[in-house]
Amino acid sequence: MTIDEAIHLESYDKQWADRFSDEHQTLIREIGPYTAATEHFGSTSVPGMTAKPIIDILVGVENTQHANEIIPKLTAMGYEDLGEAGIPGRLYLRKRGRYAYNVHIVSYRGDMWNHNIMIREYLRAHAVEAERYSEIKRRIVTQGTRTLLQYSNEKHAYVEQLLARAKAWMNGRTS
């Protein structure tokens, strides 16, 4: 079992929101009592963005012990448990089939939760930024990147800059 996998990009598909909604309903039935919140995040959650056609789902837990209850339920649903997968504080599970899903279990309202939601909201509010990010991702793939880990590494610096802009935007909105 390895986290690395082949990747490709697709233009935005409005059905991504429906796929999230369908999986979200299933997740709520199965793991709802153990979660504080569940959100669609990542590029498939931003209208107009180019993305890997994988629905990323952020699962926030108040108590990390709840992950012990959640993981067996997700594996019974066909998710593959990849542990922290190189990111301390995040548990990563994926399901591949007709549609592809990633579940990221993190501390609700912790840094990982907040940063991912900030970036999503920033990109939703700034179409020019979403297009710039889409172009960077397309360029990375056009230049020959075909695997998840390489793709993630290639865009890491940009994502850090994007997070800084999202934080500044959120601070400006809330102060």
Side-chain angles (χ1 to χ4, degrees), residues 27 34 44 50 60 64 69-70 120 141 144 146 154 175:
L27 289 171
Y34 307 102
T44 62
T50 297
T64 55
E69 303 292 334
I70 292 171
R120 180 195 68 192
V141 170
R146 297 288 183 268
E154 293 283 332
S175 54

Side-chain angles (χ1 to χ4, degrees), residues 115 118-119 122 161-171:
H115 293 173
M118 269 189 251
I119 288 171
Y122 180 71
Q161 295 167 4
L162 185 61
L163 175 58
R165 288 191 298 278
K167 284 179 178 180
W169 174 71
M170 287 297 278
N171 288 335

Side-chain angles (χ1 to χ4, degrees), residues 28-165:
I28 293 303
R29 277 194 309 276
E30 296 298 323
I31 66 171
Y34 307 102
T35 65
T38 306
E39 293 279 344
H40 186 190
F41 79 110
S43 297
T44 62
S45 72
V46 179
M49 278 204 67
T50 297
K52 298 182 316 296
I54 300 169
I55 308 304
D56 282 295
I57 302 170
L58 197 60
V59 173
V61 294
E62 297 277 5
N63 181 334
T64 55
Q65 287 299 103
H66 288 155
N68 296 332
E69 303 292 334
I70 292 171
I71 290 172
K73 293 179 181 302
L74 292 176
T75 57
M77 291 172 57
Y79 281 88
E80 178 182 16
D81 178 7
L82 294 166
E84 287 188 332
I87 301 178
R90 175 202 71 171
L91 298 175
Y92 174 70
L93 296 96
R94 70 178 172 206
K95 181 167 69 171
R96 301 296 182 261
R98 181 172 178 210
Y99 303 120
Y101 300 93
N102 294 333
V103 167
H104 308 255
I105 302 171
V106 301
S107 177
Y108 181 57
R109 294 192 177 146
D111 283 347
M112 272 188 267
W113 177 273
N114 291 336
H115 293 173
N116 282 294
I117 298 301
M118 269 189 251
I119 288 171
R120 180 195 68 192
E121 294 305 306
Y122 180 71
L123 290 171
R124 285 178 174 175
H126 297 87
V128 170
E129 286 277 13
E131 181 50 39
R132 182 181 310 152
Y133 187 23
S134 292
E135 178 53 37
I136 286 168
K137 294 190 300 176
R138 287 189 296 264
R139 185 174 40 225
I140 289 168
V141 170
T142 299
Q143 293 172 346
T145 298
R146 297 288 183 268
T147 62
L148 177 63
L149 293 178
Q150 184 181 8
Y151 174 76
S152 296
N153 287 338
E154 293 283 332
K155 64 182 187 131
H156 179 76
Y158 180 79
V159 172
E160 289 298 314
Q161 295 167 4
L162 185 61
L163 175 58
R165 288 191 298 278

